[in-house]
Amino acid sequence: MSGYPVFLDLAGERVLVVGGGAVAARKVAGLLRAGAAVTVVAPDAVAELAEDPDVRWHRRQYRRGEAASYRLVFTATDDPDVNRQVARDGRAANVFVNSADDPANCSFTLPAVVDRGDIQVAVGTNGRSPGFARWLRQRLEHTITDAHADTVTLLAELRAEARAEFGTSELPGWAEAIDDELVAAVAAGERQAAADR
């Protein structure tokens, strides 16, 4: 069965990360960038987690049923019993759970992401080969540049202008105007020429 790709707005949402090691720290870093309110539950935690003022750390083991208090849950432990319990609790409470390197206990998987400003390109393999997703992401990182992100910024401004002038931004011509030449003009610093195009 194929996954359904989605970008979540986690700003202010309560997210639980069970585990306090390096893998948990990577998950927490991404969640904080997304604006989530992150709680870590782990008896011990690496310095990035233990010393981060933006992370609420409960220095203890996971408690049965705890997942129900959160919007989203991640496990990053090396204890399969804990991962299974968190996944069971998530299913019972209709809370999505991701268990690092443990697809059997996941209700969602995480893609490898190329992030350039407002552009995010996600590569997933339905959890079957995270290594391949990372490899493909690395290839895309060389293709998608900061000029693409700058082009999105320009297009957002022009879209707002079109909406103000015509009452809608859904106008014919976007598909013809957006191409490699537009991105090249932005990359060359020819912003006005790109806007005129």
Side-chain angles (χ1 to χ4, degrees):
M1 187 162 44
S2 180
Y4 186 81
V6 63
F7 288 97
L8 298 176
D9 178 359
L10 292 178
E13 297 290 348
R14 291 170 37 90
V15 177
L16 174 64
V17 177
V18 181
V23 173
R26 285 195 303 275
K27 306 284 185 203
V28 167
L31 291 165
L32 291 175
R33 280 193 303 275
V38 179
T39 298
V40 170
V41 170
D44 297 299
V46 295
E48 303 109 278
L49 297 175
E51 298 169 7
D52 191 329
D54 296 324
V55 174
R56 184 176 180 192
W57 176 30
H58 295 298
R59 187 180 223 148
R60 59 172 171 73
Q61 295 289 337
Y62 174 79
R63 294 178 182 154
R64 187 175 181 173
E66 192 169 4
S69 299
Y70 296 88
R71 186 75 151 171
L72 201 62
V73 177
F74 293 81
T75 64
T77 78
D78 56 4
D79 186 335
D81 292 334
V82 170
N83 295 344
R84 270 192 301 277
Q85 184 62 56
V86 174
R88 274 194 297 265
D89 292 347
R91 278 191 299 277
N94 291 318
V95 173
F96 286 103
V97 175
N98 174 270
S99 187
D101 201 28
D102 185 6
N105 288 306
C106 289
S107 52
F108 72 98
T109 59
L110 296 174
V113 177
V114 177
D115 199 335
R116 296 280 187 271
D118 288 321
I119 298 173
Q120 290 183 322
V121 177
V123 178
T125 60
N126 283 324
R128 296 189 61 178
S129 180
F132 184 80
R134 278 191 302 276
W135 175 85
L136 188 53
R137 181 211 67 217
Q138 290 169 344
R139 298 308 179 270
L140 291 171
E141 283 176 337
H142 299 293
T143 303
I144 301 166
T145 67
D146 290 337
H148 291 93
D150 294 341
T151 302
V152 168
T153 300
L154 174 66
L155 290 168
E157 293 167 9
L158 296 172
R159 185 172 178 227
E161 287 178 21
R163 191 177 298 117
E165 185 171 341
F166 303 109
T168 181
S169 63
E170 300 302 317
L171 303 170
W174 287 112
E176 292 78 17
I178 300 172
D179 59 14
D180 289 335
E181 289 180 32
L182 179 68
V183 176
V186 171
E190 300 167 359
R191 200 169 198 277
Q192 189 57 52
D196 291 344
R197 181 183 170 86

